[in-house]
C-alpha cells in the first residue's frame, strides 16, 4: 500500500468510526424511546436490558451503515478539497479516480462483509429480539393493558374503551372473554360499565373489580340431546371481583424461542427453501380454487341430450337450441345459482389469496434486501466522495445537511417501493434495489463531473437549451427580423454576398427560411441563382419527415396521457360507463404514439447518417428514457435537429 492510499484510508477510517458510533448511539436511544413502554415497570435485570439492546443493534445496521458511508465520504473528500489537498494531488498527476481507488477497495470489501452480516447476524438478532419481546410481554401483563383492543392475560381476554385515573386504574366499558376448558373457545362473556385495577405493587395477583355488569356463560351438558338446545346461564351483578393469578406468567424464561420461522429470521438458504414451498403452496391454492369453481359450475352434471341428431362438434348454432324448454329453464336456473355461489366463493377467497401473496412477497423482499444492502454501500460511497470533492466543504455543517437530505431521499424511496411490493403493487424483486438504482445515475453523474474538475451544476449548459426552446434571446444574439421586409432578389443577394454586406453567416439560413415561407422551394432558389448543394434536398426531406412524425407523436401522446388521467378520474368516481372507453382509447393512442415516436427516431438517425455526423446522434438510452417524458424530448430534439439543419445548410452553400 502506498503512502497516499494509507493516508486517505486512515483519514477515512477515523471519520467513519466516529460517525458510526455517534449515529449508532442516536438510533439506540431512539430504539429505547420506542420500546420504553415494554421495558418500564417490569423489574428487569440489567442483563436482560443489555440483551435487549444487543439484539436490536444489528437490526440498526441497514440504517446506520449507508448513512455513515455517505456522511463520512462527503466530510473526508470535502475536507481534502477545502484544504487544497486534491489540488496538490492533481499537480503531481494524481487524479480523483486514483485517489479514490484504494478507498474503493475498502468499500467493496465492506459491502461484501455487509452481505454476510445481513445474512447471518441480522436474522439471529431478529430471532432473539422478537422472542425476547414476547417473553417480556408475558411479565406483568397488567402494565401493558391497552385500550380499544383485547389484551390476553392468562385465560382472560380483556378489552375496555378507556382508562383513566392517576395510575390509569379505572376502566370504562369493560368486556372480558374467559376461555373454556379446552383453552380455545370463549365459553364466558362478562360485560360491565366500569372497572378498577386494584392490585398492590409487586403483587402476583391482578385484582379486577367490575361494577354494574352482566355475566353470560355457555353450558355444556353431558346429554347430547340437551347440548343441541344450546343452554346458557345469564346473570347481572352490581360488583364482581376477579383475581387473576400472575405467578406462573411472571416466571418467564427470557431465552425461550417459540418463534423461529419469520421471514426476517431466515438466512438466504432458509429463505430460498421457504419461497419455493410458498410458491408451490400458492400454486396449489390456485388449482384447488379453480377445481372448486369448476365443480360449482355444474358442467359435469349436464350433458347434451341425444334426442336431436346433431353433431355437437360441428354444430355452430345457439347452445340452448339443443335442449327442450324444460331443460333450458333448468340449465338457466343452475347457471344463475352457480354464478351467485361462485361470486361469493371468489369474494371470500380473495383476502386469503392476497394474504398468501403478501406473505410470499415479504420473503422475496427479505431475500433481496440482504444483497441490496452491500451494493447500496458501494453506490452511496460513489455519491458521497465526488460530492464532497465538488462542494469543497468539510466538517459537520453543510456535509451533514446534504448527507441527511440524500439519505432521506434514498430511505423514503426504499420504504415506498418496499411497502408497495408487499401489497403486490410493485415487483418484490426490484423493490429492495429500487432506491439504490435511483442513486446509481447520481453517483455516475457526480463521479464524472468531479473527475473532469467541473462544478456541481453547469448552469450555462442547462439554461442555453431552455433559451433555445422558448426562443429567449441573449444580450449578444442578433435579431434578423429586418429580413422580413426584403424582396426575393434582395434576400438571395444577402445570402450570396452576406460578407460584403457586413452580416454574419447565420443571416443566410434566416434568409432561406423566409424565402421558404414565401412558397419558394430549394429547387426554385437554385433556379434563381442560389448556389446550394443538391445533397441539401435530401437532408431537408428527412427533416420534413421527422417534423411530420414527431407532430403526430406529440398529438397522440397528449391524447393518450389525457385519457389515461380521465380513466383514473372516472374510476375513482365510479363512472363505469366511461371507464372502458377511456382506457381503450388511451391504450390505442399510446400504442400509435410509440409507433410514430420510433418513426421520428429513425428519421433522426437517417438525418445524422446522411450528413456524416453520426457522433451527434442522440443517445439511444436517453431516447428510451425520454419515451414516457415526450413533452421534454419533443422540445429539445426539435431544437437540436433545427440547429444541425442550419449548420448543414450553411455547409451546403457554395
Amino acid at each position: 500500500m502506498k503512502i497516499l492510499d494509507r493516508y486517505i484510508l486512515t483519514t477515512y477510517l477515523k471519520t467513519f468510526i466516529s460517525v458510526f458510533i455517534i449515529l449508532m448511539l442516536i438510533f439506540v436511544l431512539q430504539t429505547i424511546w420506542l420500546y420504553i413502554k415494554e421495558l418500564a415497570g417490569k423489574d428487569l435485570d440489567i442483563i436482560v436490558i443489555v440483551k435487549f439492546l444487543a439484539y436490536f443493534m444489528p437490526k440498526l445496521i441497514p440504517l446506520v451503515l449507508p448513512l455513515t458511508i455517505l456522511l463520512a465520504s462527503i466530510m473526508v473528500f470535502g475536507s481534502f478539497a477545502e484544504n487544497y489537498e486534491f489540488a496538490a494531488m492533481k499537480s503531481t498527476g494524481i487524479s480523483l479516480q486514483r485517489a479514490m481507488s484504494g478507498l474503493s477497495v475498502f468499500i467493496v470489501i465492506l459491502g461484501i462483509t455487509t452481505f454476510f452480516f445481513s445474512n447471518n447476524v441480522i436474522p439471529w438478532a431478529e430471532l432473539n429480539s422478537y422472542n425476547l419481546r414476547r417473553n417480556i410481554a408475558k411479565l406483568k401483563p397488567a402494565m401493558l393493558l391497552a385500550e380499544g383492543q383485547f389484551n390476553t392475560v392468562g385465560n382472560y381476554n380483556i378489552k375496555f374503551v378507556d382508562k383513566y385515573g392517576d395510575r390509569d386504574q379505572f376502566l370504562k366499558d369493560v368486556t372480558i372473554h374467559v376461555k373454556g376448558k379446552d383453552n380455545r373457545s370463549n365459553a364466558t362473556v362478562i360485560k360491565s360499565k366500569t372497572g378498577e385495577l386494584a392490585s398492590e405493587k409487586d403483587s402476583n395477583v391482578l385484582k379486577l373489580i367490575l361494577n354494574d355488569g352482566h355475566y353470560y356463560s355457555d353450558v355444556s351438558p353431558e346429554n347430547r340431546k340437551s347440548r343441541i338446545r344450546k343452554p346458557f346461564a345469564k346473570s347481572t351483578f352490581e360488583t364482581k371481583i376477579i383475581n387473576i393469578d400472575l405467578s406462573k406468567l411472571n416466571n418467564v424464561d427470557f431465552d425461550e424461542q417459540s418463534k423461529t420461522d419469520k421471514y426476517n429470521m431466515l438466512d438466504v438458504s432458509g429463505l430460498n427453501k421457504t419461497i419455493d414451498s410458498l410458491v408451490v403452496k400458492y400454486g396449489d391454492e390456485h388449482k384447488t380454487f379453480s377445481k372448486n369453481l369448476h365443480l360449482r359450475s355444474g358442467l359435469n352434471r349436464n350433458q347434451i341430450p341425444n334426442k336431436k341428431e346433431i353433431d355437437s362438434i360441428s354444430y355452430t348454432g345457439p347452445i340452448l337450441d339443443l335442449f327442450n324448454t324444460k331443460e333450458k329453464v333448468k340449465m338457466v336456473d343452475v347457471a344463475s345459482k352457480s354464478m351467485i355461489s361462485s361470486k361469493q366463493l371468489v369474494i371470500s377467497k380473495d383476502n386469503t389469496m392476497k394474504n398468501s401473496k403478501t406473505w410470499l412477497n415479504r420473503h422475496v423482499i427479505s431475500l433481496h434486501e440482504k444483497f441490496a444492502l452491500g451494493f447500496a454501500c458501494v453506490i452511496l460511497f460513489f455519491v458521497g466522495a465526488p460530492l464532497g470533492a465538488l462542494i469543497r466543504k468539510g466538517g459537520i455543517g453543510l456535509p451533514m445537511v446534504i448527507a441527511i437530505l440524500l439519505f432521506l431521499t434514498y430511505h423514503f424511496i426504499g420504504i415506498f417501493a418496499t411497502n408497495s411490493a408487499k401489497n403486490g403493487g410493485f415487483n418484490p424483486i426490484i423493490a429492495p434495489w429500487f432506491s439504490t438504482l435511483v442513486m446509481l445515475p447520481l453517483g455516475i453523474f457526480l463521479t464524472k463531473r468531479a473527475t473532469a474538475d467541473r462544478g456541481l451544476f453547469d448552469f450555462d449548459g442547462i439554461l442555453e437549451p431552455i433559451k433555445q426552446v422558448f426562443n429567449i434571446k441573449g444580450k449578444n444574439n442578433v435579431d434578423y427580423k429586418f429580413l422580413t421586409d426584403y424582396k426575393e432578389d434582395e434576400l438571395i443577394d444577402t445570402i450570396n454576398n452576406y460578407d460584403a454586406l457586413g452580416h454574419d453567416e447565420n443571416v443566410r439560413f434566416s434568409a432561406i427560411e423566409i424565402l421558404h415561407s414565401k412558397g419558394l422551394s430549394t429547387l426554385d432558389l437554385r433556379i434563381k441563382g442560389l448556389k446550394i448543394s443538391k445533397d441539401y434536398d435530401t437532408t431537408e426531406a428527412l427533416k420534413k419527415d421527422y417534423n411530420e412524425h414527431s407532430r403526430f407523436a406529440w398529438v397522440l401522446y397528449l391524447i393518450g396521457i389525457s385519457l389515461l388521467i380521465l380513466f383514473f378520474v372516472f374510476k375513482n368516481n365510479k363512472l363505469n360507463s366511461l371507464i372502458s372507453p377511456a382506457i381503450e382509447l388511451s391504450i390505442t393512442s399510446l400504442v400509435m404514439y410509440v409507433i410514430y415516436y420510433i418513426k421520428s427516431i429513425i428519421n433522426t438517425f437517417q438525418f445524422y447518417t446522411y450528413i456524416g455526423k453520426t457522433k451527434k446522434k442522440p443517445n439511444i438510452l436517453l431516447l428510451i428514457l425520454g419515451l414516457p417524458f415526450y413533452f421534454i424530448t419533443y422540445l429539445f430534439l426539435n431544437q437540436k435537429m433545427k440547429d444541425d439543419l442550419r449548420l448543414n445548410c450553411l455547409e451546403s452553400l457554395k
Side-chain angles (χ1 to χ4, degrees), residues 105-121:
V105 175
F106 165 74
I107 294 296
V108 171
I109 294 172
L110 181 63
I112 296 171
T113 306
T114 303
F115 163 73
F116 289 105
F117 185 88
S118 62
N119 186 49
N120 298 287
V121 180

Side-chain angles (χ1 to χ4, degrees), residues 10-29:
T10 304
T11 306
Y12 186 84
L13 284 175
K14 288 178 182 177
T15 308
F16 178 86
I17 294 170
S18 303
V19 172
F20 181 82
I21 292 172
I22 292 170
L23 291 176
M24 183 60 75
L25 287 174
I26 292 171
F27 280 95
V28 166
L29 290 174

Side-chain angles (χ1 to χ4, degrees), residues 461 464-471 509 513 539 542-543 546-547 550 597 600-601 603-609 611-620 622-623 630 632-649:
E464 193 60 35
I466 296 174
K467 287 180 180 179
Q468 291 179 354
V469 168
F470 294 101
N471 292 321
F509 183 71
E513 283 188 320
T539 308
L542 290 171
K543 176 65 167 61
Y546 165 79
N547 288 339
S550 62
Y597 179 76
S600 67
I601 298 306
N603 294 144
T604 304
F605 279 67
Q606 288 174 340
F607 174 83
Y608 284 106
T609 301
I611 65 175
K613 296 181 179 179
T614 54
K615 291 184 178 179
K616 283 196 169 186
K617 288 180 181 179
N619 191 299
I620 190 67
L622 293 178
L623 293 175
Y630 192 59
I632 298 175
T633 308
Y634 176 74
L635 296 174
F636 283 93
L637 205 54
N638 268 10
Q639 186 62 43
K640 177 178 172 59
M641 291 280 286
K642 183 179 178 181
D643 291 342
D644 290 329
L645 179 67
R646 177 179 58 82
L647 293 174
N648 182 256
C649 178

